Amino acid sequence: YKLDAGDVLSVIDATVSAGGTPFVTRVPVTPDGKASIYPIGIIKVGGKTLSEVNEEVKQRYASVANNPEVVVGLFAPRPVE
């Protein structure tokens, strides 16, 4: 599955968890195929698989956290037209 505009990602960040609870956010993919993921910023996800996005997110998180524990998943697929 290649991500595209209209998909909604779930980002689970256990790196900054408070009280043992992971921080979970839902991130929509914009019409230009980008997603804004705190704290790493905007990344291009359109046309990429979840595996590819996970790898990039982990690499970027490594610049802001030691031993990042973050997973990106598909919360909701884009509507079928």
Side-chain angles (χ1 to χ4, degrees):
Y1 184 83
K2 300 277 186 173
L3 297 168
D4 208 351
D7 287 329
V8 179
L9 306 176
S10 64
V11 180
I12 303 169
D13 183 1
T15 308
V16 294
S17 63
T21 304
F23 183 68
V24 181
T25 55
R26 295 180 189 152
V27 180
V29 179
T30 61
D32 60 355
K34 295 179 182 174
S36 179
I37 300 174
Y38 179 82
I40 61 172
I42 297 172
I43 65 169
K44 173 82 169 140
V45 298
K48 295 182 181 178
T49 65
L50 282 171
S51 260
E52 292 168 327
V53 172
N54 268 292
E55 192 60 37
E56 182 174 352
V57 167
K58 286 178 185 177
Q59 288 175 359
R60 289 198 183 193
Y61 256 82
S63 69
V64 296
N66 291 330
N67 302 317
E69 295 181 42
V70 62
V71 176
V72 179
L74 183 62
F75 178 77
R78 61 189 169 270
V80 177
E81 296 180 9

